[in-house]
Amino acid sequence: MNEMNTIDEVIVGRRSVFPQHYTGERVDDAIVRKMLANANWAPTHKFTEPWRFVVFTGEGLKRLAQQQADVYKKVTSANGTFKEERYQNLLKKPMQSSHIIAVGMKRDEKKSLPEVEEIGAVFCAIQNMHLTASAYGVGAYLSTGGITYFEEAKEIFGLEKDDKLLGFFNIGMPTNVALTGRRKPIEEKITWVDH
Ligand SMILES: Cc1cc2nc3c(=O)[nH]c(=O)nc-3n(C[C@H](O)[C@H](O)[C@H](O)COP(=O)(O)O)c2cc1C
């Protein structure tokens, strides 16, 4: 197989693998470090390198579970939207993953770029992590649920007012379930201008 076939296969074959399809086995930290190292090679306008990661694993997952459930309870009790089932889910879910990486966007002090570019760069970093996971046979998916968009959650992950929490990248060894991808044809989304 030549390298071009390899990159096509990794890109097309990458799937979001959800925790119900994780074996419970711990992913080798060396692979997670490789994913993070590749994330660091995302494109970055003006070299602001805005991606930030907090990696939770082992007992750290319990800490994440408690912290996210606490924030959820505090915020939703104050605004009247608290739901016990959601709270319990936040307390339990992290332990289904081997590692969870909280992904943040750190705004540079000078705010030298439009925010959308910084967010875009972080999502490129996430895709690098996801492709690396797939290439190493590791399951992963990005979650933007739970407390992702709670202002009050930022400080847990070392993020400040102008920064953003962008989601939680869940990682686990995949069961051998067959996951099929689906996309509408690319032709529907392209306009060629050639004359
Ligand atoms: C920005 C973004 C946020 C996402 N958030 C969630 C989420 O909160 N929950 C979820 O189940 N999947 C989430 N996903 C994963 C999508 O569900 C997944 O990419 C989609 O089903 C296509 O599957 P594939 O990644 O296997 O091609 C998110 C994906 C992206 C790009």
Coordinates of all heavy atoms in Angstrom, one line a residue, residues 15 22 26-27 34 37 45 48-50 56-57 61 67 74 84 92 107 160 162 175 184 191:
R15 N -13.8 6.8 12.6 CA -15.2 6.8 13.1 C -15.3 7.4 14.5 O -14.3 7.2 15.2 CB -15.9 5.4 13.1 CG -16.2 4.8 11.7 CD -17.5 5.3 11.1 NE -17.4 6.7 10.6 CZ -16.8 7.1 9.5 NH1 -16.2 6.2 8.7 NH2 -16.7 8.4 9.1
Y22 N -16.6 0.7 24.1 CA -15.2 0.6 24.6 C -15.1 -0.7 25.4 O -16.1 -1.0 26.1 CB -14.8 1.8 25.5 CG -14.8 3.1 24.8 CD1 -14.8 4.3 25.6 CD2 -14.7 3.3 23.4 CE1 -14.8 5.6 25.0 CE2 -14.7 4.5 22.8 CZ -14.7 5.7 23.6 OH -14.7 6.9 23.0
R26 N -7.5 -0.2 29.4 CA -6.9 1.2 29.4 C -6.0 1.3 28.1 O -5.2 0.4 27.7 CB -6.0 1.4 30.6 CG -5.3 2.7 30.6 CD -4.8 3.2 31.9 NE -4.0 4.3 31.8 CZ -3.6 5.1 32.8 NH1 -4.0 4.8 34.0 NH2 -2.8 6.1 32.7
V27 N -6.2 2.4 27.4 CA -5.3 2.7 26.3 C -3.9 3.1 26.7 O -3.8 3.8 27.8 CB -6.0 3.9 25.5 CG1 -5.1 4.3 24.3 CG2 -7.4 3.5 24.9
K34 N 1.1 10.4 21.8 CA 1.3 10.5 20.3 C 0.2 11.3 19.7 O 0.4 12.2 18.9 CB 1.3 9.1 19.7 CG 1.7 9.1 18.3 CD 3.1 9.6 18.1 CE 3.8 9.2 16.9 NZ 5.0 10.0 16.7
A37 N 0.8 14.8 20.7 CA 2.0 15.4 19.9 C 1.5 15.8 18.5 O 1.9 16.8 18.0 CB 3.1 14.4 19.9
H45 N -2.6 30.1 12.7 CA -2.3 31.5 12.1 C -1.5 32.3 13.2 O -1.9 32.3 14.3 CB -3.6 32.1 11.8 CG -3.5 33.3 10.9 ND1 -4.6 34.1 10.5 CD2 -2.4 33.9 10.3 CE1 -4.2 35.1 9.7 NE2 -2.8 35.0 9.6
T48 N -0.2 31.2 17.1 CA -0.7 31.4 18.5 C -0.9 30.1 19.2 O -1.0 30.1 20.5 CB -2.1 32.1 18.4 OG1 -2.9 31.4 17.6 CG2 -2.0 33.6 17.9
E49 N -0.9 29.0 18.5 CA -1.1 27.6 19.0 C -2.1 27.6 20.2 O -1.7 27.3 21.4 CB 0.3 27.1 19.5 CG 1.3 27.2 18.3 CD 2.7 26.7 18.7 OE1 2.9 25.8 19.5 OE2 3.7 27.3 18.1
P50 N -3.3 27.9 19.9 CA -4.3 28.1 21.0 C -4.9 26.9 21.7 O -5.7 27.0 22.6 CB -5.5 28.8 20.2 CG -5.4 28.3 18.8 CD -3.9 28.0 18.6
F56 N -7.5 13.4 31.6 CA -8.0 12.7 32.7 C -7.9 11.2 32.5 O -8.4 10.7 31.4 CB -9.5 13.1 33.0 CG -9.6 14.5 33.4 CD1 -9.9 15.5 32.4 CD2 -9.6 15.0 34.7 CE1 -10.0 16.8 32.7 CE2 -9.8 16.3 35.1 CZ -10.0 17.2 34.1
T57 N -7.4 10.5 33.4 CA -7.3 9.0 33.3 C -7.3 8.4 34.7 O -7.0 9.2 35.7 CB -6.2 8.5 32.4 OG1 -6.3 7.2 32.1 CG2 -4.8 8.8 33.0
L61 N -10.4 10.4 36.3 CA -11.7 10.4 35.7 C -12.8 10.6 36.7 O -13.8 11.2 36.5 CB -12.0 9.0 34.9 CG -11.1 8.8 33.7 CD1 -11.1 7.4 33.2 CD2 -11.6 9.8 32.5
Q67 N -16.3 16.8 39.5 CA -16.2 18.3 39.2 C -17.3 18.7 38.2 O -17.9 19.7 38.4 CB -14.8 18.6 38.7 CG -13.8 18.6 39.8 CD -12.4 18.9 39.3 OE1 -12.0 18.4 38.2 NE2 -11.6 19.7 40.0
K74 N -24.6 23.1 40.5 CA -24.6 24.5 41.0 C -25.3 25.5 40.0 O -26.2 26.3 40.4 CB -23.1 25.0 41.1 CG -23.0 26.3 41.8 CD -21.5 26.5 42.2 CE -21.3 28.0 42.5 NZ -20.0 28.5 42.0
E84 N -32.1 15.5 37.8 CA -31.4 14.4 38.6 C -30.8 13.4 37.6 O -29.6 13.0 37.8 CB -32.4 13.7 39.5 CG -31.8 12.7 40.4 CD -30.7 13.2 41.4 OE1 -30.8 14.4 41.8 OE2 -29.8 12.4 41.7
K92 N -21.4 9.4 36.4 CA -21.0 8.0 36.0 C -20.2 7.9 34.7 O -19.4 7.1 34.6 CB -22.3 7.2 35.8 CG -22.9 6.7 37.1 CD -24.0 5.6 36.9 CE -25.1 6.1 36.0 NZ -26.5 6.1 36.5
R107 N -7.1 32.1 24.3 CA -7.0 33.4 23.6 C -5.7 34.0 23.9 O -5.3 34.2 25.0 CB -8.2 34.2 24.0 CG -8.6 35.3 23.0 CD -9.5 34.7 22.0 NE -10.1 35.8 21.2 CZ -9.7 36.2 20.0 NH1 -8.6 35.6 19.4 NH2 -10.3 37.1 19.4
E160 N -9.6 30.9 31.1 CA -10.1 32.2 31.7 C -11.2 32.7 30.8 O -11.6 32.1 29.8 CB -8.9 33.1 31.7 CG -7.9 32.6 32.7 CD -6.6 33.4 32.7 OE1 -5.9 33.4 31.6 OE2 -6.3 34.1 33.7
D162 N -11.8 34.9 28.4 CA -11.8 35.0 27.0 C -11.5 33.7 26.3 O -11.5 33.6 25.0 CB -10.7 36.1 26.5 CG -11.1 37.5 27.0 OD1 -12.4 37.7 27.1 OD2 -10.3 38.3 27.2
T175 N -14.4 -2.2 21.0 CA -14.9 -3.5 20.8 C -14.8 -3.8 19.3 O -14.6 -2.8 18.5 CB -16.3 -3.7 21.3 OG1 -17.2 -2.9 20.6 CG2 -16.4 -3.5 22.8
K184 N -23.3 12.6 2.7 CA -23.9 12.8 1.4 C -22.8 13.1 0.4 O -21.7 13.5 0.8 CB -24.9 14.0 1.5 CG -26.1 13.8 2.4 CD -27.0 15.0 2.3 CE -27.8 15.1 3.6 NZ -27.1 15.8 4.7
T191 N -18.7 23.8 -5.6 CA -18.9 24.5 -6.9 C -17.5 24.7 -7.5 O -16.6 25.2 -6.8 CB -19.5 25.9 -6.6 OG1 -20.6 25.7 -5.8 CG2 -19.7 26.7 -7.8

